[in-house]
Amino acid sequence: MLEITSTPLVLIAILGTVGVILPIISIARKEKGSNSFYAVIAFAALIVSMGYVGYEFINNSVTASALFSEDVLADDAFGGFFAIAMLIVALFTTVGSFNYMRKHNSPAVYYSLILLATIGMILVAYSTDLVMLFVAWELMSIPTYILVGFMKKNPSSNEAALKYFLFGALSSAIIVYGIALSYGLTGSTNIGEVIEGYSTLDPSLLPLALLSVGMFIAGFGFKMGLVPFHQWLPDTYEGAPSPVTALLAAATKKAGFAATIRIVILGMVVLNLDWTLALGIIAIMTMTIGNVAAIMQKNLSRMLAYSSIAHAGYILIGLAVAPYSSLGLQGSLYQIFNHAVMKGAAFIAIAGIVTTLAVTHIDKLKGLGRRMPITALGMVISLFALAGVPPLSGFWSKLMLFGSALDASSALWWAPWLAIAGVLNSALSLAYYGWITRKMYFEGETEKRVSEPKSIVAVMIFSIIFLVGFGVYPEPLLKFVEFATPIVSLGLMP
């Protein structure tokens, strides 16, 4: 049984209490404004939460790898790894909203929804029971539906929220169908017992087991933005408030990967199901379609939305070869953590640009390097890290991902093609990242410097230090990734 001081329960207590109290304080104070007051409270709650997770790791109170316990939640390194990544993005979103929310009403509700969505994301990573996972999934999804449509008078925001809700409801229904099949086949909703039950399943029931795994891939694939479950993503990212887009792109995607790794990948290894080719094909389709579509975009948010789709494909490379290479899951987790910072910082930079200059069209970014130098620098470093340019942190995670594909070549003849596709797509992504950089630094001459929001500058400075620091000295982050990675490689599979 989980102790009262276990990480997931403490995070529920901290974030849940503050998330519920914020709207109550707003009602009691009878104030419409006071944005900074609620933002500081939400920020403090997130900092305390991250501090507690970090303390548990430093104090060696966290079990390495991933656990399958009898409880509905497991206090393991795998869940803690995702919790830290998601809390970093939630902090980015909260800090990036300081200036943005000054122009909008209901700040207490806004920050409350961020905290509640963060709880859901974290609990998805810690869940070891399918019902608990679904409850956490909905706790994550419902607040984000509201956040996307937070600008009620903006038709674009309303359209984005409606598309997001409809696709999200469909994905939830698919996940429930997968859970129902799993329970019907094994008589349990505990993930460990379900996987164990699948390993001793009657051969005549194997098609239903395959169908349930397929349902989970489809349901979680929606949040991850995998092709062909990605149609909602560009419109939603474009219409949502810019800080909220950072939360969607850099955090909720990670919850989808956490659930996929916990259920699908570990389950496939136990079941001895060779779905690696199918996942490899999806990976190539996702990264290629994402990058090709991104090149054709003129809106910065839409361009980075398609870039997010492409990065889901990169991460999927590691999952596809995980049963055959010990580097597979490590590379995926490394890229997931880096992507949280890279993509979060990029979208917070967009939030700063929107708040200060009210533009998102790429042609309007001319001279941004002179008008908003710190924001522009933070965005460029984030984009180059996303492309995998050394010596930034994104280079090492992509190197490990592509290396895992080559490492699996002895068992999978097609695995090197995943690495080749990844390298070519990374080169292709430099086309539109370079286009943005050219607009910001090499076009426009008469622009004068404007005052940059201090909150945005703070996020940019942190992201620059993170991406450059762990790019030059990646060893601490590599050790953290290795500690949190589930051991699933069979090398192994016959």
Side-chain angles (χ1 to χ4, degrees):
M1 187 172 180
L2 279 177
E3 297 181 2
I4 194 68
T5 56
S6 65
T7 308
L9 296 184
V10 171
L11 296 185
I12 291 173
I14 297 172
L15 299 176
T17 301
V18 176
V20 170
I21 286 178
L22 280 181
I24 297 175
I25 295 175
S26 176
I27 294 171
R29 294 183 61 172
K30 298 179 180 179
E31 294 181 6
K32 292 183 178 179
S34 206
N35 163 65
S36 58
F37 174 76
Y38 303 110
V40 168
I41 294 177
F43 178 81
L46 291 167
I47 285 289
V48 171
S49 299
M50 182 175 290
Y52 188 82
V53 178
Y55 170 78
E56 290 290 283
F57 273 102
I58 294 171
N59 203 37
N60 293 322
S61 302
V62 180
T63 307
S65 188
L67 291 177
F68 290 109
S69 67
E70 296 179 356
D71 298 310
V72 296
L73 297 169
D75 189 1
D76 55 17
F78 178 80
F81 176 88
F82 277 91
I84 290 177
M86 293 162 181
L87 285 167
I88 288 174
V89 179
L91 280 166
F92 278 11
T93 304
T94 301
V95 174
S97 300
F98 281 7
N99 290 76
Y100 187 87
M101 283 304 295
R102 288 177 181 171
K103 302 176 182 179
H104 299 87
N105 296 324
S106 306
V109 174
Y110 177 86
Y111 292 112
S112 173
L113 290 170
I114 291 175
L115 296 181
L116 295 177
T118 305
I119 294 177
M121 290 183 277
I122 290 172
L123 291 183
V124 167
Y126 280 115
S127 293
T128 56
D129 185 274
L130 293 175
V131 174
M132 180 69 233
L133 186 143
F134 180 72
V135 171
W137 188 268
E138 291 304 294
L139 179 57
M140 167 187 69
S141 299
I142 293 173
T144 54
Y145 298 153
I146 302 169
L147 285 169
V148 170
F150 203 78
M151 298 182 292
K152 294 179 289 186
K153 296 181 181 180
N154 186 329
S156 179
S157 181
N158 294 335
E159 179 187 353
L162 184 59
K163 288 181 178 179
Y164 183 35
F165 170 73
L166 291 175
F167 277 97
L170 177 61
S171 76
S172 296
I174 293 172
I175 292 171
V176 169
Y177 191 21
I179 293 173
L181 287 173
S182 300
Y183 179 74
L185 292 170
T186 63
S188 175
T189 57
N190 182 277
I191 295 174
E193 293 178 5
V194 168
I195 292 174
E196 184 180 353
Y198 275 8
S199 65
T200 58
L201 205 60
D202 187 279
S204 63
L205 297 176
L206 191 58
L208 288 176
L210 290 171
L211 179 61
S212 68
V213 173
M215 289 292 174
F216 285 128
I217 292 175
F220 299 143
F222 159 81
K223 273 290 189 290
M224 293 186 286
L226 301 180
V227 173
F229 314 110
H230 68 289
Q231 294 93 339
W232 62 278
L233 200 143
D235 291 334
T236 299
Y237 284 17
E238 182 183 13
S242 299
V244 173
T245 308
L247 190 70
L248 296 178
T252 60
K253 286 174 80 77
K254 309 305 175 285
F257 280 107
T260 300
I261 294 170
R262 181 85 75 170
I263 298 175
V264 178
I265 303 302
L266 301 184
M268 281 169 53
V269 173
V270 173
L271 269 172
N272 201 21
L273 294 178
D274 196 355
W275 277 38
T276 52
L277 179 59
L279 292 180
I281 292 172
I282 294 173
I284 292 176
M285 288 174 56
T286 300
M287 67 177 101
T288 304
I289 290 174
N291 280 317
V292 171
I295 290 177
M296 298 183 285
Q297 304 305 312
K298 302 292 186 183
N299 182 283
L300 192 56
S301 295
R302 289 186 72 89
M303 179 179 284
L304 292 186
Y306 281 108
S307 168
S308 292
I309 294 170
H311 276 269
Y314 299 136
I315 295 170
L316 201 60
I317 290 175
L319 304 189
V321 302
Y324 300 95
S325 172
S326 60
L327 294 175
L329 275 186
Q330 285 187 34
S332 290
L333 262 63
Y334 197 1
Q335 180 70 7
I336 283 169
F337 201 92
N338 277 334
H339 185 262
V341 178
M342 297 183 295
K343 190 64 74 172
F347 274 110
I348 293 303
I350 294 176
I353 295 168
V354 170
T355 302
T356 307
L357 305 176
V359 298
T360 56
H361 197 283
I362 292 174
D363 287 337
K364 301 292 185 181
L365 299 179
K366 292 180 180 180
L368 189 72
R370 287 178 288 276
R371 303 184 74 183
M372 301 177 68
I374 299 177
T375 303
L377 179 63
M379 172 167 275
V380 167
I381 288 179
S382 298
L383 296 180
F384 283 173
L386 285 167
V389 174
L392 302 175
S393 184
F395 166 77
W396 297 109
S397 54
K398 280 195 174 182
L399 182 65
M400 185 178 286
L401 275 175
F402 303 155
S404 70
L406 297 176
D407 185 50
S409 60
S410 59
L412 302 172
W413 65 267
W414 47 264
W417 289 103
L418 286 177
I420 293 171
V423 170
L424 291 177
N425 273 282
S426 295
L428 183 61
S429 68
L430 279 171
Y432 54 90
Y433 294 149
W435 185 27
I436 296 172
T437 304
R438 189 190 72 181
K439 291 288 183 182
M440 291 193 295
Y441 284 98
F442 301 106
E443 295 187 16
E445 298 178 355
T446 59
E447 292 77 6
K448 295 181 180 179
R449 182 168 182 173
V450 297
S451 176
E452 300 177 76
K454 293 180 180 179
S455 57
I456 303 297
V457 169
V459 173
M460 294 300 103
I461 291 174
F462 173 86
S463 63
I464 291 170
I465 293 172
F466 180 96
L467 296 174
V468 175
F470 284 117
V472 175
Y473 184 60
E475 187 175 353
L477 193 52
L478 282 168
K479 289 183 177 179
F480 183 40
V481 169
E482 186 176 354
F483 183 68
T485 303
I487 302 172
V488 302
S489 178
L490 302 180
L492 311 176
M493 281 176 58

